[in-house]
C-alpha cells in the first residue's frame, strides 16, 4: 500500500489506503469492514502482530492501521449487520468499503413511482446513466470522518474523490457502531 499519497490527516490516509487495497482486489467485490487502530499503540502493545503487518519499520507515530474484519454475512442487509457491531476500546475507528450503483441527480425525476426495493434496484441497474462506484468511508470515535469515492469508469488513484461529507448515510451508520 506504499502508493497511498500523503494526506492531511491519519484518517484520510487510512481511507485512501483501504481504497487502494480494494482497488487491487478488482471490482464486483463484497463489502469489507475494517477496524482502525492506533499504529503506535499497536506496535507497543502487540509487537508480533505489528511485525506480521509489516509495521515495525514504519516511521510514522500518528497513523492508523486498518485491520480487515471477518466477511460481512451475505444474507444480512448492511445496515442490519452494522447494528450488531460493538468495538473494543483498542479500536479508535472503523471503515467500510462497498460498491453501489449511482444515478446522477437528473435521473431522480425519472424514477417510476411505487416500485418495490427489488424493482427499484433492477431499474437503477438498467438505467443508461448509472455509474458503478466504490465508496470507502471511515469514522473515528471522536466523530472525525472521511470518505473516498472511485468510479469504475475512472478507475485510477488520481481520480479518487475525498471528503468528509460524500456519503453521509454510511458515515452515520458507521458512527452508530461506537454508540453505547
Amino acid at each position: 500500500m506504499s502508493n497511498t499519497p500523503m494526506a492531511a490527516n491519519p484518517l484520510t490516509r487510512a481511507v485512501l489506503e483501504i481504497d487502494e487495497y480494494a482497488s487491487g482486489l478488482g471490482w464486483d467485490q463484497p463489502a469489507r469492514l475494517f477496524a482502525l487502530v492506533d499504529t503506535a499503540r499497536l506496535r507497543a502493545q502487540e509487537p508480533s502482530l505489528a511485525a506480521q503487518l509489516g509495521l515495525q519499520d514504519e516511521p510514522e507515530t500518528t497513523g492508523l492501521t486498518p485491520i480487515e474484519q471477518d466477511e460481512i454475512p451475505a444474507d444480512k442487509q448492511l445496515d442490519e449487520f452494522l447494528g450488531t457491531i460493538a468495538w473494543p476500546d483498542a479500536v479508535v475507528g472503523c471503515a467500510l468499503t462497498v460498491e453501489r450503483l449511482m444515478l446522477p441527480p437528473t435521473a431522480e425525476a425519472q424514477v417510476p413511482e411505487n416500485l418495490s426495493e427489488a424493482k427499484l434496484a433492477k431499474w437503477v441497474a438498467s438505467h443508461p446513466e448509472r455509474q458503478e462506484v466504490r465508496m470507502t468511508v471511515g469514522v473515528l470515535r471522536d466523530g472525525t470522518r472521511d470518505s473516498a469515492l472511485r468510479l469504475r469508469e475512472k478507475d485510477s488513484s488520481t481520480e479518487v474523490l475525498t471528503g468528509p461529507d460524500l456519503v453521509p448515510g454510511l458515515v452515520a451508520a458507521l458512527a452508530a457502531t461506537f454508540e453505547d
Side-chain angles (χ1 to χ4, degrees), residues 23-74:
S23 176
L25 298 173
W27 286 87
D28 304 317
Q29 296 291 315
R32 296 177 188 278
L33 182 66
F34 299 82
L36 299 175
V37 298
D38 179 273
T39 302
R41 185 173 171 190
L42 177 66
R43 277 193 295 230
Q45 295 179 350
E46 300 286 341
S48 62
L49 177 58
Q52 281 182 311
L53 296 172
L55 300 174
Q56 70 277 11
D57 297 326
E58 291 285 318
E60 187 166 338
T61 58
T62 61
L64 296 170
T65 298
I67 300 175
E68 188 169 2
Q69 302 301 290
D70 291 335
E71 193 171 296
I72 296 172

mmCIF file of all heavy atoms in Angstrom, residues 23-74:
data_model
loop_
_atom_site.group_PDB
_atom_site.id
_atom_site.type_symbol
_atom_site.label_atom_id
_atom_site.label_comp_id
_atom_site.label_asym_id
_atom_site.label_seq_id
_atom_site.Cartn_x
_atom_site.Cartn_y
_atom_site.Cartn_z
ATOM 1 N N SER A 23 -9.055 -1.541 -4.505
ATOM 2 C CA SER A 23 -8.806 -1.418 -5.933
ATOM 3 C C SER A 23 -7.969 -2.588 -6.446
ATOM 4 O O SER A 23 -8.207 -3.107 -7.537
ATOM 5 C CB SER A 23 -8.101 -0.093 -6.227
ATOM 6 O OG SER A 23 -7.778 -0.007 -7.595
ATOM 7 N N GLY A 24 -7.008 -3.018 -5.660
ATOM 8 C CA GLY A 24 -6.166 -4.142 -6.047
ATOM 9 C C GLY A 24 -6.914 -5.458 -6.126
ATOM 10 O O GLY A 24 -6.473 -6.391 -6.801
ATOM 11 N N LEU A 25 -8.056 -5.538 -5.457
ATOM 12 C CA LEU A 25 -8.876 -6.754 -5.494
ATOM 13 C C LEU A 25 -9.790 -6.788 -6.716
ATOM 14 O O LEU A 25 -10.374 -7.815 -7.015
ATOM 15 C CB LEU A 25 -9.726 -6.860 -4.226
ATOM 16 C CG LEU A 25 -8.951 -6.962 -2.918
ATOM 17 C CD1 LEU A 25 -9.910 -6.879 -1.737
ATOM 18 C CD2 LEU A 25 -8.137 -8.242 -2.876
ATOM 19 N N GLY A 26 -9.935 -5.642 -7.388
ATOM 20 C CA GLY A 26 -10.818 -5.558 -8.549
ATOM 21 C C GLY A 26 -12.240 -5.186 -8.147
ATOM 22 O O GLY A 26 -12.543 -4.970 -6.977
ATOM 23 N N TRP A 27 -13.081 -5.124 -9.130
ATOM 24 C CA TRP A 27 -14.484 -4.741 -8.913
ATOM 25 C C TRP A 27 -15.338 -5.975 -8.639
ATOM 26 O O TRP A 27 -14.866 -7.101 -8.718
ATOM 27 C CB TRP A 27 -14.994 -3.966 -10.122
ATOM 28 C CG TRP A 27 -14.436 -2.578 -10.147
ATOM 29 C CD1 TRP A 27 -13.255 -2.186 -10.706
ATOM 30 C CD2 TRP A 27 -15.010 -1.422 -9.553
ATOM 31 N NE1 TRP A 27 -13.063 -0.840 -10.485
ATOM 32 C CE2 TRP A 27 -14.120 -0.341 -9.799
ATOM 33 C CE3 TRP A 27 -16.178 -1.167 -8.854
ATOM 34 C CZ2 TRP A 27 -14.382 0.949 -9.360
ATOM 35 C CZ3 TRP A 27 -16.442 0.123 -8.422
ATOM 36 C CH2 TRP A 27 -15.552 1.165 -8.672
ATOM 37 N N ASP A 28 -16.598 -5.708 -8.333
ATOM 38 C CA ASP A 28 -17.585 -6.760 -8.045
ATOM 39 C C ASP A 28 -17.206 -7.559 -6.805
ATOM 40 O O ASP A 28 -17.310 -8.771 -6.757
ATOM 41 C CB ASP A 28 -17.783 -7.685 -9.263
ATOM 42 C CG ASP A 28 -18.172 -6.902 -10.507
ATOM 43 O OD1 ASP A 28 -19.016 -5.989 -10.395
ATOM 44 O OD2 ASP A 28 -17.612 -7.186 -11.585
ATOM 45 N N GLN A 29 -16.761 -6.837 -5.791
ATOM 46 C CA GLN A 29 -16.351 -7.436 -4.522
ATOM 47 C C GLN A 29 -17.425 -7.186 -3.458
ATOM 48 O O GLN A 29 -18.173 -6.210 -3.529
ATOM 49 C CB GLN A 29 -15.038 -6.812 -4.047
ATOM 50 C CG GLN A 29 -13.865 -7.062 -4.949
ATOM 51 C CD GLN A 29 -13.453 -8.516 -4.937
ATOM 52 O OE1 GLN A 29 -13.355 -9.132 -3.883
ATOM 53 N NE2 GLN A 29 -13.228 -9.069 -6.121
ATOM 54 N N PRO A 30 -17.481 -8.041 -2.452
ATOM 55 C CA PRO A 30 -18.413 -7.790 -1.346
ATOM 56 C C PRO A 30 -17.922 -6.612 -0.501
ATOM 57 O O PRO A 30 -16.767 -6.206 -0.582
ATOM 58 C CB PRO A 30 -18.352 -9.094 -0.539
ATOM 59 C CG PRO A 30 -17.006 -9.663 -0.847
ATOM 60 C CD PRO A 30 -16.702 -9.252 -2.276
ATOM 61 N N ALA A 31 -18.814 -6.095 0.320
ATOM 62 C CA ALA A 31 -18.443 -5.039 1.264
ATOM 63 C C ALA A 31 -17.401 -5.588 2.227
ATOM 64 O O ALA A 31 -17.394 -6.782 2.551
ATOM 65 C CB ALA A 31 -19.677 -4.568 2.027
ATOM 66 N N ARG A 32 -16.503 -4.713 2.663
ATOM 67 C CA ARG A 32 -15.441 -5.111 3.590
ATOM 68 C C ARG A 32 -15.400 -4.109 4.747
ATOM 69 O O ARG A 32 -15.423 -2.908 4.537
ATOM 70 C CB ARG A 32 -14.091 -5.143 2.892
ATOM 71 C CG ARG A 32 -14.028 -6.197 1.802
ATOM 72 C CD ARG A 32 -12.694 -6.159 1.060
ATOM 73 N NE ARG A 32 -12.711 -7.035 -0.076
ATOM 74 C CZ ARG A 32 -12.504 -8.346 -0.031
ATOM 75 N NH1 ARG A 32 -12.272 -8.933 1.115
ATOM 76 N NH2 ARG A 32 -12.546 -9.075 -1.125
ATOM 77 N N LEU A 33 -15.293 -4.648 5.962
ATOM 78 C CA LEU A 33 -15.273 -3.838 7.179
ATOM 79 C C LEU A 33 -13.878 -3.902 7.793
ATOM 80 O O LEU A 33 -13.250 -4.961 7.820
ATOM 81 C CB LEU A 33 -16.310 -4.381 8.172
ATOM 82 C CG LEU A 33 -16.454 -3.634 9.489
ATOM 83 C CD1 LEU A 33 -16.996 -2.220 9.271
ATOM 84 C CD2 LEU A 33 -17.379 -4.415 10.420
ATOM 85 N N PHE A 34 -13.412 -2.756 8.291
ATOM 86 C CA PHE A 34 -12.080 -2.646 8.881
ATOM 87 C C PHE A 34 -12.163 -1.973 10.244
ATOM 88 O O PHE A 34 -12.866 -0.981 10.401
ATOM 89 C CB PHE A 34 -11.161 -1.793 7.992
ATOM 90 C CG PHE A 34 -10.948 -2.354 6.626
ATOM 91 C CD1 PHE A 34 -11.880 -2.158 5.628
ATOM 92 C CD2 PHE A 34 -9.810 -3.092 6.340
ATOM 93 C CE1 PHE A 34 -11.701 -2.681 4.358
ATOM 94 C CE2 PHE A 34 -9.617 -3.622 5.071
ATOM 95 C CZ PHE A 34 -10.561 -3.416 4.076
ATOM 96 N N ALA A 35 -11.407 -2.506 11.200
ATOM 97 C CA ALA A 35 -11.176 -1.807 12.459
ATOM 98 C C ALA A 35 -9.984 -0.891 12.206
ATOM 99 O O ALA A 35 -9.064 -1.242 11.469
ATOM 100 C CB ALA A 35 -10.851 -2.798 13.567
ATOM 101 N N LEU A 36 -9.989 0.289 12.795
ATOM 102 C CA LEU A 36 -8.853 1.207 12.702
ATOM 103 C C LEU A 36 -8.230 1.307 14.091
ATOM 104 O O LEU A 36 -8.911 1.632 15.063
ATOM 105 C CB LEU A 36 -9.307 2.587 12.228
ATOM 106 C CG LEU A 36 -9.964 2.630 10.845
ATOM 107 C CD1 LEU A 36 -10.467 4.041 10.544
ATOM 108 C CD2 LEU A 36 -8.997 2.166 9.776
ATOM 109 N N VAL A 37 -6.947 0.987 14.149
ATOM 110 C CA VAL A 37 -6.246 1.043 15.433
ATOM 111 C C VAL A 37 -5.069 2.009 15.330
ATOM 112 O O VAL A 37 -4.513 2.217 14.250
ATOM 113 C CB VAL A 37 -5.771 -0.356 15.894
ATOM 114 C CG1 VAL A 37 -6.957 -1.280 16.115
ATOM 115 C CG2 VAL A 37 -4.808 -0.968 14.902
ATOM 116 N N ASP A 38 -4.706 2.577 16.446
ATOM 117 C CA ASP A 38 -3.568 3.487 16.519
ATOM 118 C C ASP A 38 -2.295 2.685 16.269
ATOM 119 O O ASP A 38 -2.003 1.726 16.994
ATOM 120 C CB ASP A 38 -3.548 4.148 17.898
ATOM 121 C CG ASP A 38 -2.381 5.085 18.051
ATOM 122 O OD1 ASP A 38 -1.293 4.596 18.440
ATOM 123 O OD2 ASP A 38 -2.546 6.274 17.781
ATOM 124 N N THR A 39 -1.545 3.052 15.249
ATOM 125 C CA THR A 39 -0.360 2.289 14.849
ATOM 126 C C THR A 39 0.694 2.243 15.954
ATOM 127 O O THR A 39 1.254 1.178 16.241
ATOM 128 C CB THR A 39 0.240 2.876 13.557
ATOM 129 O OG1 THR A 39 -0.772 2.855 12.540
ATOM 130 C CG2 THR A 39 1.437 2.088 13.084
ATOM 131 N N ALA A 40 0.977 3.365 16.601
ATOM 132 C CA ALA A 40 1.994 3.392 17.658
ATOM 133 C C ALA A 40 1.575 2.502 18.829
ATOM 134 O O ALA A 40 2.394 1.751 19.370
ATOM 135 C CB ALA A 40 2.223 4.823 18.129
ATOM 136 N N ARG A 41 0.328 2.552 19.191
ATOM 137 C CA ARG A 41 -0.181 1.711 20.287
ATOM 138 C C ARG A 41 -0.106 0.235 19.905
ATOM 139 O O ARG A 41 0.255 -0.611 20.730
ATOM 140 C CB ARG A 41 -1.615 2.120 20.617
ATOM 141 C CG ARG A 41 -2.192 1.420 21.791
ATOM 142 C CD ARG A 41 -3.553 2.005 22.146
ATOM 143 N NE ARG A 41 -4.196 1.189 23.156
ATOM 144 C CZ ARG A 41 -5.440 1.321 23.526
ATOM 145 N NH1 ARG A 41 -6.197 2.249 22.971
ATOM 146 N NH2 ARG A 41 -5.945 0.543 24.435
ATOM 147 N N LEU A 42 -0.440 -0.072 18.660
ATOM 148 C CA LEU A 42 -0.368 -1.450 18.182
ATOM 149 C C LEU A 42 1.063 -1.979 18.267
ATOM 150 O O LEU A 42 1.306 -3.094 18.736
ATOM 151 C CB LEU A 42 -0.887 -1.550 16.749
ATOM 152 C CG LEU A 42 -0.812 -2.916 16.089
ATOM 153 C CD1 LEU A 42 -1.736 -3.906 16.795
ATOM 154 C CD2 LEU A 42 -1.183 -2.817 14.619
ATOM 155 N N ARG A 43 2.027 -1.149 17.821
ATOM 156 C CA ARG A 43 3.432 -1.573 17.878
ATOM 157 C C ARG A 43 3.886 -1.805 19.311
ATOM 158 O O ARG A 43 4.625 -2.737 19.597
ATOM 159 C CB ARG A 43 4.328 -0.535 17.215
ATOM 160 C CG ARG A 43 4.385 -0.691 15.711
ATOM 161 C CD ARG A 43 5.511 0.130 15.169
ATOM 162 N NE ARG A 43 5.237 1.535 15.395
ATOM 163 C CZ ARG A 43 5.310 2.474 14.466
ATOM 164 N NH1 ARG A 43 5.700 2.177 13.261
ATOM 165 N NH2 ARG A 43 5.037 3.716 14.744
ATOM 166 N N ALA A 44 3.444 -0.950 20.219
ATOM 167 C CA ALA A 44 3.869 -1.065 21.622
ATOM 168 C C ALA A 44 3.198 -2.241 22.326
ATOM 169 O O ALA A 44 3.848 -2.961 23.091
ATOM 170 C CB ALA A 44 3.558 0.232 22.369
ATOM 171 N N GLN A 45 1.912 -2.453 22.082
ATOM 172 C CA GLN A 45 1.166 -3.471 22.822
ATOM 173 C C GLN A 45 1.145 -4.834 22.148
ATOM 174 O O GLN A 45 0.954 -5.845 22.811
ATOM 175 C CB GLN A 45 -0.273 -2.990 23.062
ATOM 176 C CG GLN A 45 -0.323 -1.785 23.966
ATOM 177 C CD GLN A 45 -1.734 -1.281 24.192
ATOM 178 O OE1 GLN A 45 -2.682 -1.709 23.546
ATOM 179 N NE2 GLN A 45 -1.873 -0.359 25.127
ATOM 180 N N GLU A 46 1.307 -4.865 20.837
ATOM 181 C CA GLU A 46 1.248 -6.121 20.082
ATOM 182 C C GLU A 46 2.390 -6.174 19.070
ATOM 183 O O GLU A 46 2.163 -6.174 17.861
ATOM 184 C CB GLU A 46 -0.096 -6.242 19.353
ATOM 185 C CG GLU A 46 -1.310 -6.229 20.244
ATOM 186 C CD GLU A 46 -1.498 -7.531 21.000
ATOM 187 O OE1 GLU A 46 -0.918 -8.554 20.592
ATOM 188 O OE2 GLU A 46 -2.219 -7.514 22.010
ATOM 189 N N PRO A 47 3.639 -6.227 19.528
ATOM 190 C CA PRO A 47 4.763 -6.162 18.590
ATOM 191 C C PRO A 47 4.784 -7.296 17.565
ATOM 192 O O PRO A 47 5.159 -7.080 16.413
ATOM 193 C CB PRO A 47 5.998 -6.191 19.486
ATOM 194 C CG PRO A 47 5.523 -6.588 20.823
ATOM 195 C CD PRO A 47 4.071 -6.304 20.916
ATOM 196 N N SER A 48 4.351 -8.489 17.949
ATOM 197 C CA SER A 48 4.369 -9.593 16.973
ATOM 198 C C SER A 48 3.321 -9.374 15.890
ATOM 199 O O SER A 48 3.579 -9.646 14.717
ATOM 200 C CB SER A 48 4.171 -10.938 17.671
ATOM 201 O OG SER A 48 2.921 -10.991 18.310
ATOM 202 N N LEU A 49 2.148 -8.875 16.263
ATOM 203 C CA LEU A 49 1.127 -8.557 15.259
ATOM 204 C C LEU A 49 1.600 -7.416 14.371
ATOM 205 O O LEU A 49 1.443 -7.461 13.150
ATOM 206 C CB LEU A 49 -0.201 -8.197 15.928
ATOM 207 C CG LEU A 49 -1.337 -7.772 14.996
ATOM 208 C CD1 LEU A 49 -1.648 -8.853 13.964
ATOM 209 C CD2 LEU A 49 -2.576 -7.411 15.796
ATOM 210 N N ALA A 50 2.212 -6.408 14.963
ATOM 211 C CA ALA A 50 2.743 -5.290 14.183
ATOM 212 C C ALA A 50 3.781 -5.787 13.181
ATOM 213 O O ALA A 50 3.819 -5.340 12.032
ATOM 214 C CB ALA A 50 3.343 -4.230 15.107
ATOM 215 N N ALA A 51 4.607 -6.740 13.598
ATOM 216 C CA ALA A 51 5.615 -7.302 12.691
ATOM 217 C C ALA A 51 4.945 -8.077 11.560
ATOM 218 O O ALA A 51 5.354 -7.971 10.400
ATOM 219 C CB ALA A 51 6.565 -8.204 13.453
ATOM 220 N N GLN A 52 3.896 -8.847 11.882
ATOM 221 C CA GLN A 52 3.157 -9.579 10.851
ATOM 222 C C GLN A 52 2.562 -8.627 9.824
ATOM 223 O O GLN A 52 2.480 -8.953 8.643
ATOM 224 C CB GLN A 52 2.013 -10.391 11.465
ATOM 225 C CG GLN A 52 2.433 -11.679 12.101
ATOM 226 C CD GLN A 52 1.217 -12.427 12.637
ATOM 227 O OE1 GLN A 52 0.373 -11.861 13.331
ATOM 228 N NE2 GLN A 52 1.141 -13.706 12.310
ATOM 229 N N LEU A 53 2.127 -7.461 10.279
ATOM 230 C CA LEU A 53 1.516 -6.465 9.393
ATOM 231 C C LEU A 53 2.555 -5.592 8.702
ATOM 232 O O LEU A 53 2.208 -4.705 7.925
ATOM 233 C CB LEU A 53 0.536 -5.588 10.182
ATOM 234 C CG LEU A 53 -0.673 -6.311 10.769
ATOM 235 C CD1 LEU A 53 -1.454 -5.380 11.685
ATOM 236 C CD2 LEU A 53 -1.569 -6.864 9.669
ATOM 237 N N GLY A 54 3.832 -5.806 9.001
ATOM 238 C CA GLY A 54 4.899 -5.032 8.370
ATOM 239 C C GLY A 54 5.022 -3.625 8.905
ATOM 240 O O GLY A 54 5.490 -2.721 8.211
ATOM 241 N N LEU A 55 4.641 -3.425 10.151
ATOM 242 C CA LEU A 55 4.624 -2.075 10.729
ATOM 243 C C LEU A 55 5.862 -1.752 11.554
ATOM 244 O O LEU A 55 6.010 -0.615 12.005
ATOM 245 C CB LEU A 55 3.387 -1.904 11.619
ATOM 246 C CG LEU A 55 2.043 -2.090 10.928
ATOM 247 C CD1 LEU A 55 0.918 -2.033 11.955
ATOM 248 C CD2 LEU A 55 1.842 -1.042 9.851
ATOM 249 N N GLN A 56 6.741 -2.700 11.772
ATOM 250 C CA GLN A 56 7.874 -2.463 12.649
ATOM 251 C C GLN A 56 8.816 -1.395 12.111
ATOM 252 O O GLN A 56 9.486 -0.727 12.873
ATOM 253 C CB GLN A 56 8.638 -3.763 12.947
ATOM 254 C CG GLN A 56 9.412 -4.334 11.782
ATOM 255 C CD GLN A 56 8.572 -5.181 10.823
ATOM 256 O OE1 GLN A 56 7.347 -5.200 10.883
ATOM 257 N NE2 GLN A 56 9.246 -5.873 9.917
ATOM 258 N N ASP A 57 8.861 -1.194 10.799
ATOM 259 C CA ASP A 57 9.767 -0.203 10.217
ATOM 260 C C ASP A 57 9.079 1.097 9.815
ATOM 261 O O ASP A 57 9.697 1.962 9.223
ATOM 262 C CB ASP A 57 10.473 -0.802 8.991
ATOM 263 C CG ASP A 57 11.340 -1.987 9.371
ATOM 264 O OD1 ASP A 57 11.899 -1.966 10.479
ATOM 265 O OD2 ASP A 57 11.446 -2.925 8.553
ATOM 266 N N GLU A 58 7.796 1.197 10.125
ATOM 267 C CA GLU A 58 7.055 2.411 9.781
ATOM 268 C C GLU A 58 7.562 3.570 10.635
ATOM 269 O O GLU A 58 7.562 3.485 11.861
ATOM 270 C CB GLU A 58 5.559 2.235 10.020
ATOM 271 C CG GLU A 58 4.889 1.273 9.066
ATOM 272 C CD GLU A 58 4.702 1.864 7.687
ATOM 273 O OE1 GLU A 58 4.319 3.031 7.572
ATOM 274 O OE2 GLU A 58 4.972 1.142 6.717
ATOM 275 N N PRO A 59 7.968 4.677 10.013
ATOM 276 C CA PRO A 59 8.495 5.797 10.789
ATOM 277 C C PRO A 59 7.402 6.609 11.486
ATOM 278 O O PRO A 59 7.655 7.277 12.473
ATOM 279 C CB PRO A 59 9.202 6.652 9.737
ATOM 280 C CG PRO A 59 8.500 6.331 8.461
ATOM 281 C CD PRO A 59 8.062 4.890 8.579
ATOM 282 N N GLU A 60 6.197 6.551 10.962
ATOM 283 C CA GLU A 60 5.131 7.408 11.484
ATOM 284 C C GLU A 60 4.631 6.932 12.839
ATOM 285 O O GLU A 60 4.495 5.743 13.082
ATOM 286 C CB GLU A 60 3.965 7.419 10.489
ATOM 287 C CG GLU A 60 2.915 8.398 10.891
ATOM 288 C CD GLU A 60 1.949 8.659 9.775
ATOM 289 O OE1 GLU A 60 2.282 8.441 8.616
ATOM 290 O OE2 GLU A 60 0.853 9.107 10.101
ATOM 291 N N THR A 61 4.344 7.876 13.700
ATOM 292 C CA THR A 61 3.849 7.530 15.032
ATOM 293 C C THR A 61 2.414 7.981 15.242
ATOM 294 O O THR A 61 1.842 7.731 16.291
ATOM 295 C CB THR A 61 4.728 8.179 16.114
ATOM 296 O OG1 THR A 61 4.728 9.598 15.919
ATOM 297 C CG2 THR A 61 6.139 7.640 16.065
ATOM 298 N N THR A 62 1.814 8.657 14.268
ATOM 299 C CA THR A 62 0.449 9.151 14.445
ATOM 300 C C THR A 62 -0.538 8.494 13.492
ATOM 301 O O THR A 62 -1.640 8.966 13.326
ATOM 302 C CB THR A 62 0.388 10.677 14.224
ATOM 303 O OG1 THR A 62 0.811 10.946 12.878
ATOM 304 C CG2 THR A 62 1.226 11.418 15.216
ATOM 305 N N GLY A 63 -0.168 7.386 12.871
ATOM 306 C CA GLY A 63 -1.013 6.760 11.870
ATOM 307 C C GLY A 63 -2.056 5.827 12.433
ATOM 308 O O GLY A 63 -2.083 5.509 13.622
ATOM 309 N N LEU A 64 -2.930 5.396 11.536
ATOM 310 C CA LEU A 64 -3.946 4.407 11.848
ATOM 311 C C LEU A 64 -3.687 3.183 10.991
ATOM 312 O O LEU A 64 -3.359 3.302 9.807
ATOM 313 C CB LEU A 64 -5.344 4.959 11.536
ATOM 314 C CG LEU A 64 -5.784 6.159 12.358
ATOM 315 C CD1 LEU A 64 -7.069 6.749 11.793
ATOM 316 C CD2 LEU A 64 -5.975 5.759 13.812
ATOM 317 N N THR A 65 -3.850 2.022 11.566
ATOM 318 C CA THR A 65 -3.685 0.772 10.841
ATOM 319 C C THR A 65 -5.048 0.134 10.637
ATOM 320 O O THR A 65 -5.742 -0.154 11.621
ATOM 321 C CB THR A 65 -2.765 -0.196 11.614
ATOM 322 O OG1 THR A 65 -1.481 0.414 11.744
ATOM 323 C CG2 THR A 65 -2.630 -1.521 10.895
ATOM 324 N N PRO A 66 -5.455 -0.073 9.379
ATOM 325 C CA PRO A 66 -6.713 -0.779 9.116
ATOM 326 C C PRO A 66 -6.505 -2.287 9.267
ATOM 327 O O PRO A 66 -5.530 -2.833 8.762
ATOM 328 C CB PRO A 66 -7.042 -0.440 7.667
ATOM 329 C CG PRO A 66 -5.994 0.504 7.193
ATOM 330 C CD PRO A 66 -4.873 0.484 8.166
ATOM 331 N N ILE A 67 -7.414 -2.926 9.972
ATOM 332 C CA ILE A 67 -7.378 -4.381 10.138
ATOM 333 C C ILE A 67 -8.710 -4.925 9.645
ATOM 334 O O ILE A 67 -9.766 -4.657 10.236
ATOM 335 C CB ILE A 67 -7.122 -4.773 11.602
ATOM 336 C CG1 ILE A 67 -5.776 -4.198 12.062
ATOM 337 C CG2 ILE A 67 -7.159 -6.289 11.764
ATOM 338 C CD1 ILE A 67 -5.464 -4.412 13.518
ATOM 339 N N GLU A 68 -8.640 -5.676 8.540
ATOM 340 C CA GLU A 68 -9.867 -6.203 7.944
ATOM 341 C C GLU A 68 -10.531 -7.197 8.882
ATOM 342 O O GLU A 68 -9.867 -8.044 9.487
ATOM 343 C CB GLU A 68 -9.574 -6.852 6.592
ATOM 344 C CG GLU A 68 -10.832 -7.235 5.847
ATOM 345 C CD GLU A 68 -10.601 -7.638 4.404
ATOM 346 O OE1 GLU A 68 -9.434 -7.656 3.961
ATOM 347 O OE2 GLU A 68 -11.592 -7.930 3.719
ATOM 348 N N GLN A 69 -11.843 -7.088 8.985
ATOM 349 C CA GLN A 69 -12.629 -7.954 9.850
ATOM 350 C C GLN A 69 -13.173 -9.138 9.049
ATOM 351 O O GLN A 69 -13.004 -9.208 7.836
ATOM 352 C CB GLN A 69 -13.783 -7.158 10.469
ATOM 353 C CG GLN A 69 -13.316 -5.944 11.260
ATOM 354 C CD GLN A 69 -12.379 -6.309 12.391
ATOM 355 O OE1 GLN A 69 -12.795 -6.903 13.379
ATOM 356 N NE2 GLN A 69 -11.103 -5.976 12.269
ATOM 357 N N ASP A 70 -13.831 -10.045 9.740
ATOM 358 C CA ASP A 70 -14.443 -11.187 9.065
ATOM 359 C C ASP A 70 -15.419 -10.699 8.008
ATOM 360 O O ASP A 70 -15.955 -9.589 8.087
ATOM 361 C CB ASP A 70 -15.184 -12.070 10.068
ATOM 362 C CG ASP A 70 -14.234 -12.786 11.018
ATOM 363 O OD1 ASP A 70 -13.059 -12.984 10.640
ATOM 364 O OD2 ASP A 70 -14.669 -13.127 12.124
ATOM 365 N N GLU A 71 -15.674 -11.562 7.060
ATOM 366 C CA GLU A 71 -16.573 -11.225 5.956
ATOM 367 C C GLU A 71 -17.961 -10.870 6.474
ATOM 368 O O GLU A 71 -18.475 -11.477 7.413
ATOM 369 C CB GLU A 71 -16.657 -12.427 5.020
ATOM 370 C CG GLU A 71 -17.292 -12.116 3.698
ATOM 371 C CD GLU A 71 -17.147 -13.270 2.724
ATOM 372 O OE1 GLU A 71 -16.001 -13.586 2.361
ATOM 373 O OE2 GLU A 71 -18.185 -13.840 2.342
ATOM 374 N N ILE A 72 -18.570 -9.888 5.840
ATOM 375 C CA ILE A 72 -19.926 -9.484 6.188
ATOM 376 C C ILE A 72 -20.879 -10.547 5.655
ATOM 377 O O ILE A 72 -20.790 -10.933 4.484
ATOM 378 C CB ILE A 72 -20.239 -8.100 5.589
ATOM 379 C CG1 ILE A 72 -19.310 -7.053 6.226
ATOM 380 C CG2 ILE A 72 -21.705 -7.731 5.791
ATOM 381 C CD1 ILE A 72 -19.381 -5.684 5.594
ATOM 382 N N PRO A 73 -21.789 -11.053 6.484
ATOM 383 C CA PRO A 73 -22.700 -12.113 6.033
ATOM 384 C C PRO A 73 -23.530 -11.662 4.829
ATOM 385 O O PRO A 73 -24.123 -10.585 4.836
ATOM 386 C CB PRO A 73 -23.604 -12.361 7.241
ATOM 387 C CG PRO A 73 -22.902 -11.752 8.409
ATOM 388 C CD PRO A 73 -22.027 -10.670 7.869
ATOM 389 N N ALA A 74 -23.561 -12.505 3.799
ATOM 390 C CA ALA A 74 -24.279 -12.172 2.568
ATOM 391 C C ALA A 74 -25.791 -12.168 2.770
ATOM 392 O O ALA A 74 -26.514 -11.511 2.022
ATOM 393 C CB ALA A 74 -23.898 -13.160 1.466
#
